[in-house]
Amino acid sequence: MGTFELLSILLTLAALFSFASRGLLGLPATAGVFLLAFGFAFATAVVGTLVPAIDIRAWEERLVTSAHLPEALLEGVLAFLLFAGAVEQDSGTLWRRRWAVALLATLGVVISTTVMGTGMWLVFDAMDQPVPLIWCLVLGAALAPTDPVAVLAVLRKAPLPEGLRTAIAGESLFNDGMGVVLFALLLGLATGTDTDVTVLGVAWDIVKEAGGGVLLGLVTGSIAFWAKSRADDPAVELSISLALAAATYSLAQRLGLSGPIAVVVAGLLIGNTAKHHVSSERTGFIMKAFWSMVDAILNAILFMLVGLEAAVVLSWQAPVMAAAFLAPLLALVARLASVLPVVAVHLRSQRKAAATAVLTWGGVRGGIAVALVLSLPDNPHRDLLLVACYAVVAFTIIVQSLTLGRLARRLFPEGDGSCSAGQECAERPFLWKASHYLLKPIRQQPLSTFHFCCFGVSG
């Protein structure tokens, strides 16, 4: 399957599933696309079993294999997804919650990895399917970071207080770097490629990759801002932002630094300065609209592939089904254990229980966890780990993401996200707001001028 053919198929399916999700089912894009892709793949598998002559499942497997999800996400697409999410964030608000975000993205990842890995080790042993503890910890590291794409999509609809919303969004953007570093270190131990690992060595690797990623993002973001400030052309500024996301991520990988953290820092810097220093109001909204569109398209393709992959690896064996049932419950316990230290230190006593519930239930996993587990080398435990990973991802996307808004309204009734006078509603799609500003010059023209320009009719 050629590259252009693959891209056209992915775009077409993503557009169809997105339309069906929003236009027909009324579901959020993330959950709807995942459900439709999974249902489509499952239905074709059933049809292929009943009518062997119709072999659509083989075509789906070729499509998923050709997409190379682990490589495509971890070595490219993730840069644009993280950058798009970072551009939308308010860095000032994020800075005020920096310690909570830092704890969730570091200590929280370590705690979640330990609890999830140990729990799955006990579950597999109880099912007479023993998996070494180190491999279970690898699974825990893959599932520890929350997925920025899924989390940010959910937060757009959840009526949460600003501080709690910022903490969840900031954590989802920064904990990927920590999760990937921890995953790589544990995988090296599991495969035997890293035998001289020490606590100090691990700590130094984390500091080097995370701290170096922050510095690199600040440097590249500053250079891009300097270039943007001297351009007065939306196309040039868009090309600079595209180059910034791609070059920062690529350079970080080349230098052995955290690409996710570097590109998030660069995106935060550009997004914050763009609010005050873009060449014009229209240019700023064009850039935000462009990255909103990029985020929507890549989001749809990513979760469509995750849904197709989940159906492809589906198994009805009893041990596998037991692992799939228990893994989401353990993931909730691990998430709860990871947020408790942050809640205990940073939140007021009257809000601790509500914040703990929202932080726990808002720990949505997605494509990053799937890509990490799919990147595992062939070994006797890979299938069990993959099924457990997909079970957690499916549960968090379908159950947690679709019910987080209801939970937030119940626990924080005053934070209902309603629009005050003169303000744009937070739930209103950004593309709509962008078109509002982009079309302002047309709406301000006299009617005769508008008719003349558009229809060739003079006043």
Side-chain angles (χ1 to χ4, degrees), residues 171 204 247:
E171 176 205 8
W204 168 245

mmCIF file of all heavy atoms in Angstrom, residues 171 204 247:
data_model
loop_
_atom_site.group_PDB
_atom_site.id
_atom_site.type_symbol
_atom_site.label_atom_id
_atom_site.label_comp_id
_atom_site.label_asym_id
_atom_site.label_seq_id
_atom_site.Cartn_x
_atom_site.Cartn_y
_atom_site.Cartn_z
ATOM 1 N N GLU A 171 -0.602 18.421 33.493
ATOM 2 C CA GLU A 171 -0.051 17.089 33.745
ATOM 3 C C GLU A 171 -0.040 16.256 32.477
ATOM 4 O O GLU A 171 0.950 15.584 32.157
ATOM 5 C CB GLU A 171 -0.883 16.379 34.811
ATOM 6 C CG GLU A 171 -0.440 14.954 35.076
ATOM 7 C CD GLU A 171 -1.551 14.072 35.619
ATOM 8 O OE1 GLU A 171 -2.709 14.526 35.651
ATOM 9 O OE2 GLU A 171 -1.260 12.920 35.988
ATOM 10 N N TRP A 204 19.708 10.691 37.129
ATOM 11 C CA TRP A 204 20.433 11.583 36.229
ATOM 12 C C TRP A 204 19.826 11.561 34.827
ATOM 13 O O TRP A 204 19.700 12.602 34.187
ATOM 14 C CB TRP A 204 21.900 11.205 36.171
ATOM 15 C CG TRP A 204 22.652 11.882 35.049
ATOM 16 C CD1 TRP A 204 23.220 11.290 33.969
ATOM 17 C CD2 TRP A 204 22.869 13.289 34.902
ATOM 18 N NE1 TRP A 204 23.784 12.225 33.152
ATOM 19 C CE2 TRP A 204 23.587 13.476 33.698
ATOM 20 C CE3 TRP A 204 22.527 14.392 35.655
ATOM 21 C CZ2 TRP A 204 23.966 14.730 33.250
ATOM 22 C CZ3 TRP A 204 22.905 15.657 35.205
ATOM 23 C CH2 TRP A 204 23.618 15.808 34.020
ATOM 24 N N ALA A 247 11.031 20.608 14.162
ATOM 25 C CA ALA A 247 12.465 20.715 14.409
ATOM 26 C C ALA A 247 12.796 20.510 15.886
ATOM 27 O O ALA A 247 13.796 19.875 16.219
ATOM 28 C CB ALA A 247 12.976 22.074 13.933
#
